[in-house]
Amino acid sequence: MVGCENSKKSDSDSNKEKCLSDDVINLDQGDPTVFQEYWMKKKDKCTVVIPAWDLMSYFSDTTNVCWFLEPELEKAIKALHGAIGNAATEERYIVVGTGSSQLCQAALFALSSLFEVKPVSIVAAVPYYSTYVEEASYVQSSLYKWEGDARTFDKNGPYIELVTSPNNPDGTMREPVVNRREDGKVIHDFAYYWPHYTPITRRQDHDLMLFTFSKITGHAGSRIGWALVKDVEVAKKMVQYLTINSIGVSKESQTRATTILNELTKTCRTQSESFFEYGYEKMKSRWERLREVVESGDAFTLPNYPQAFCNFFGKTISTSPAFAWLGYKEERDLGSLLKEKKVLTRGGDRCGCDKKYVRVSMLSRDNDFDVFIHRLATIKDLKCNQP
Ligand code: PMP
């Protein structure tokens, strides 16, 4: 049955009221508020208090290539990757950034400045994360140029391919598609390669990997991301970009991220406390509800994901991506249709695709997700009732 997430509770009337609310629901941005309830239950466990005299310097460790990286954060990042088994941290430089958005731009700068021929082509396979287009075009750099879909890319000369896995917007696991390694570099964006979204099938071991605090725990407001970088020259160039761009990264944010990441690592094997157990169940239940609505009509499509053995959970699990790549079976602008229902989504055209697809955030608060499911069910019925 399609209904509110808490519809079995005695306050079902107030839930019904919420379901019928007339507010605009913004599922365009992937604001990860879905996990707030988990952190509220932690109460003061991860509260961070910083005295006014502390963390005043620009510097953290002048002996480190990334001199503004707090040593405790570096340890916390390594410990977490070690516990989850999703990425190799050995023989790599960690570069911290104000979100992985800043690091992606730092990586474009670093990799393209190290090529002799410029501008370097930037590509990503369709459907791609729409922000890459802006990141690669906004400042109109002479170092690099956005060239769109990696699958149809056939220009000579150096290129950088952005590979997001699992992919934003469609949740698929991805590998590079351009195969001219001698003049190509790859940026692997692993924002969602965590066990609550996808089975951890291997320990990723690439030259340049990006991660973000935002999408692991939901703390997007802290603006912390990190890059694991093999080549010291690339790491140095990235640090140069970050130095010019923001002279480092907030130490308050690094301190908060350290505390929270350490808590994740500490509790990751305790079923009742583990954030990843909680996040996995939460995302799985949302996907089940979405699939139920979609499959009960014939208006919409969703990708199917193969189940796989997750090395972290030690069992075969399903994939529950952070975004739903929702399609409409008829040739129609699905974003506009949903907008009429006061649901804002990201049109497929922004991701290099057709407007009959939209990207829907699965990371909203419960109430917004409930309203979305409710409104989607009414569209599905509308379509089914059409002659
Ligand atoms: N990469 C991908 C694939 C994302 O979806 C996002 C967030 N939407 C980011 C990078 C950037 O995350 P942040 O800047 O919050 O670290």
Side-chain angles (χ1 to χ4, degrees):
M1 198 201 96
V2 176
C4 296
E5 204 146 57
N6 300 318
S7 56
K8 286 197 193 92
K9 287 189 181 160
S10 58
D11 58 353
S12 61
D13 281 352
S14 81
N15 276 314
K16 208 191 268 169
E17 230 167 73
K18 280 190 214 159
C19 271
L20 298 175
S21 112
D22 199 28
D23 295 348
V24 172
I25 303 299
N26 191 337
L27 302 179
D28 173 354
Q29 286 135 3
D31 195 19
T33 44
V34 55
F35 306 123
Q36 194 172 27
E37 204 185 335
Y38 173 90
W39 295 109
M40 282 171 92
K41 286 192 184 135
K42 287 263 165 199
K43 299 229 163 70
D44 273 346
K45 232 178 174 178
C46 294
T47 300
V48 175
V49 179
I50 302 167
W53 52 260
D54 203 3
L55 307 179
M56 292 177 68
S57 168
Y58 283 117
F59 303 97
S60 295
D61 175 3
T62 49
T63 65
N64 193 331
V65 167
C66 187
W67 51 267
F68 45 82
L69 168 61
E70 285 288 299
E72 290 304 313
L73 178 59
E74 176 162 17
K75 277 190 223 152
I77 290 169
K78 287 182 176 168
L80 182 63
H81 284 302
I84 305 302
N86 62 342
T89 55
E90 302 82 17
E91 291 163 35
R92 281 171 166 81
Y93 299 88
I94 297 185
V95 181
V96 67
T98 300
S100 70
S101 303
Q102 191 188 31
L103 288 165
C104 186
Q105 292 164 75
L108 293 180
F109 168 79
L111 294 176
S112 53
S113 6
L114 296 169
F115 278 116
E116 261 170 38
V117 180
K118 298 180 185 74
V120 173
S121 300
I122 312 293
V123 293
V126 161
Y128 43 68
Y129 172 39
S130 59
T131 305
Y132 292 150
V133 185
E134 288 134 30
E135 286 172 353
S137 331
Y138 187 65
V139 295
Q140 297 175 33
S141 169
S142 55
L143 292 176
Y144 48 79
K145 188 169 181 286
W146 174 251
E147 291 287 354
D149 189 5
R151 286 203 185 85
T152 53
F153 174 68
D154 60 0
K155 238 182 168 175
N156 287 329
Y159 72 91
I160 299 169
E161 182 175 352
L162 290 151
V163 178
T164 319
S165 188
N167 191 34
N168 169 358
D170 68 359
T172 54
M173 292 305 289
R174 288 192 150 186
E175 301 285 342
V177 300
V178 187
N179 258 325
R180 293 202 325 252
R181 285 302 155 79
E182 59 305 337
D183 53 1
K185 296 277 179 202
V186 180
I187 298 173
H188 286 268
D189 186 338
F190 287 125
Y192 305 98
Y193 191 56
W194 295 96
H196 45 322
Y197 298 121
T198 196
I200 302 302
T201 55
R202 57 172 291 214
R203 194 164 163 262
Q204 302 292 349
D205 188 16
H206 304 281
D207 288 356
L208 205 169
M209 304 187 278
L210 301 181
F211 289 89
T212 167
F213 187 39
S214 307
K215 301 301 163 90
I216 311 174
T217 62
H219 291 87
S222 293
R223 310 302 306 121
I224 291 290
W226 58 92
L228 304 179
V229 187
K230 250 191 200 160
D231 182 341
V232 69
E233 294 311 319
V234 176
K236 279 184 187 163
K237 274 276 173 201
M238 287 178 73
V239 168
Q240 184 187 36
Y241 177 95
L242 293 159
T243 305
I244 296 164
N245 194 256
S246 52
I247 325 183
V249 174
S250 159
K251 294 201 180 4
E252 284 86 347
S253 286
Q254 292 193 54
T255 304
R256 186 175 190 218
T258 303
T259 303
I260 292 171
L261 294 183
N262 281 338
E263 180 69 12
L264 289 191
T265 306
K266 199 175 99 194
T267 58
C268 75
R269 294 278 165 207
T270 320
Q271 205 174 359
S272 59
E273 277 191 85
S274 163
F275 170 79
F276 294 104
E277 293 277 355
Y278 171 90
Y280 173 70
E281 292 301 330
K282 185 87 192 167
M283 295 305 297
K284 184 166 159 255
S285 109
R286 285 196 172 186
W287 270 91
E288 282 166 1
R289 293 180 60 209
L290 177 62
R291 285 203 189 277
E292 199 182 320
V293 185
V294 167
E295 283 162 16
S296 64
D298 62 357
F300 300 111
T301 61
L302 279 176
N304 284 315
Y305 304 104
Q307 291 208 331
F309 188 83
C310 174
N311 296 335
F312 173 71
F313 284 128
K315 60 180 182 189
T316 299
I317 61 164
S318 50
T319 297
S320 307
F323 297 96
W325 185 237
L326 189 67
Y328 200 58
K329 283 192 181 159
E330 286 176 7
E331 287 306 318
R332 200 171 159 181
D333 179 346
L334 180 54
S336 302
L337 183 64
L338 289 167
K339 201 170 170 191
E340 281 168 26
K341 293 279 169 187
K342 297 191 177 174
V343 177
L344 306 184
T345 57
R346 190 160 300 183
D349 52 328
R350 297 255 326 261
C351 309
C353 243
D354 206 278
K355 280 189 178 180
K356 70 181 201 179
Y357 293 98
V358 292
R359 187 195 82 163
V360 186
S361 170
M362 295 292 280
L363 302 178
S364 67
R365 290 198 171 83
D366 283 349
N367 187 41
D368 284 357
F369 185 72
D370 289 344
V371 175
F372 163 60
I373 291 292
H374 182 79
R375 291 185 193 165
L376 197 65
T378 65
I379 301 178
K380 174 211 79 182
D381 292 342
L382 263 182
K383 172 139 196 305
C384 292
N385 292 338
Q386 277 169 5

